Amino acid sequence: MSQRVILHYSPHGRPAPEVVRLYAAERDFPVVDASGEEDLAARVGRAYPAALVLDASPDAEVALRVCAAIKGEAFTSVVPVIMYLACNGGGDDAAAVALEAGADEVLGYALSERECELRLRMALRRAERDVSVHPTTLLPGTVQIERDIAERLRSGEKFAVCYADLDHFKEFNDRYGYNNGDRVILILSRILRDVVRAHSQGSFVGHIGGDDFIFNAPLAEFRSCCEEVISVFSELIPLHYAEEDQRRGFFVGKDRRGEEYEVPLMTLSIGVVTNEHRSFVHTAQISELATEMKAYAKTFSGSIYVVDRRHGGPWDPAAPGEEDNRTDAGSQGS
């Protein structure tokens, strides 16, 4: 995994403030200057920086627009944004305007170097604590996952919670080693992030831990997300096996008693819960059903997503989870 950086952008071509450069040097964070708004957006979208530092000195319009765009998108809102005022100007409320745009902290020209350093350090510490970004994938963790679901419940929108889990991952880890296992986890996270983001800007992707992921999408968009995630997964993951294992479609493993058995190549199971036919009042209700649907999806062979189409209240166990759509080995089926 590449080293995290502090991304800096000044529309006026100024270098990053000295306090930022000193802070970054002490923590071995390279400071990378974005060449423009497009370059900045590409860098943030490609890999979450440790922080984004923006020059909000007059004219601050560009910095405010960039900050609002970063904080307004679920995929990038976890990035802490630090604005700084390199000179006097912009009025007494310049800092307030920056905070209103979504900045996590503002460093002012009138503040002491020590106070600026403390503000910067605390802003990054808050981001790590509150968002609980996973260290391998840099995706938001359980705190932010629950927050996103809760916000969708409050908004009254129709949406889907999709719980994705790898099948036969432990056996892969045992055969190929934890380093290759971590690589597979990272690749799956990028598939989810890139595919879901491409199909639905209003969606959210989070990492529960291990090989468990959640993505939340508007009701009208979750199917296309699931289908392409499985399609891309089915193309890329076999490449991480030895050629012989790829050709056979399995490898020979041993159980706890030392007996040999065939272990299929990894597949992806996605359990989906929606509020299309149900009403929910708490995130725990959705979490419980999503876990149930994920377990149900894993009873099928191949990569698949299954959707809970039961009607009634959130605790109505009248019918088992119903298979809605199935994608097996990258091809659509029913």
Side-chain angles (χ1 to χ4, degrees), residues 19-293:
V19 66
V20 172
R21 287 184 274 115
L22 290 174
Y23 176 88
E26 289 175 0
R27 288 152 185 82
D28 198 26
F29 284 157
V31 177
V32 176
D33 288 293
S35 60
E37 291 184 61
E38 289 187 5
D39 180 47
L40 185 150
R43 290 180 181 275
V44 172
R46 197 159 53 238
Y48 296 118
L52 171 60
V53 179
L54 294 173
D55 182 355
S57 302
D59 178 13
E61 181 180 348
V62 173
L64 294 172
R65 181 173 67 246
V66 167
C67 179
I70 294 293
K71 290 300 184 179
E73 185 179 341
F75 291 93
T76 55
S77 62
V78 298
V79 176
V81 175
I82 315 297
M83 289 198 184
Y84 67 92
L85 304 171
C87 58
N88 193 2
D92 295 335
D93 62 345
V97 172
L99 292 170
E100 286 177 347
D104 295 274
E105 188 55 89
V106 179
L107 309 181
Y109 65 93
L111 300 177
S112 69
E113 183 176 319
R114 180 168 178 265
E115 183 174 350
C116 284
E117 193 275 337
L118 286 170
R119 285 173 177 262
L120 180 62
R121 174 155 52 90
M122 294 306 296
L124 269 66
R125 182 178 296 176
R126 286 197 302 270
E128 292 176 356
R129 180 193 64 207
D130 295 342
V131 178
S132 303
V133 170
H134 193 279
T136 299
T137 63
L138 302 183
L139 288 175
T142 54
V143 172
Q144 193 71 6
I145 290 171
E146 289 200 9
R147 187 177 300 165
D148 183 80
I149 296 174
E151 289 175 356
R152 293 175 192 274
L153 283 176
R154 283 194 295 269
S155 72
E157 71 170 286
K158 297 297 182 183
F159 66 97
V161 173
C162 308
Y163 190 159
D165 183 26
L166 287 171
D167 307 310
H168 312 297
F169 175 70
K170 182 182 182 302
E171 295 95 326
F172 175 89
N173 229 19
D174 291 343
R175 176 173 174 82
Y176 288 93
Y178 66 86
N179 193 34
N180 284 310
D182 280 352
R183 185 175 293 112
V184 166
I185 294 294
L186 181 58
I187 289 171
L188 176 57
S189 75
R190 289 178 174 174
I191 292 173
L192 290 169
R193 188 190 69 181
D194 294 347
V195 168
V196 173
R197 187 178 190 178
H199 281 273
S200 176
Q201 288 291 319
S203 293
F204 170 91
V205 179
H207 188 178
I208 298 173
D211 59 335
D212 292 337
F213 294 83
I214 288 280
F215 61 94
N216 307 324
L219 189 66
E221 299 167 350
F222 83 87
R223 292 183 187 278
S224 59
C225 293
C226 289
E227 288 160 6
E228 186 163 349
V229 162
I230 287 176
S231 176
V232 175
F233 175 90
S234 299
E235 287 186 26
L236 296 183
I237 293 304
L239 302 178
H240 294 273
Y241 286 83
E243 186 175 341
E244 182 181 2
D245 293 343
Q246 289 184 47
R247 187 170 57 252
R248 292 186 304 186
F250 66 89
F251 63 84
V252 177
K254 290 186 178 181
D255 61 22
R256 293 179 179 178
R257 292 174 294 183
E259 297 180 0
E260 294 185 343
Y261 68 105
E262 293 182 0
V263 180
L265 303 190
M266 281 182 290
T267 53
L268 186 66
S269 294
I270 306 176
V272 182
V273 173
T274 80
N275 60 348
E276 182 177 16
H277 304 299
R278 292 174 179 266
S279 60
F280 299 97
V281 297
H282 195 278
T283 59
Q285 298 169 331
I286 297 177
S287 174
E288 182 173 331
L289 279 180
T291 302
E292 176 189 333
M293 292 307 300

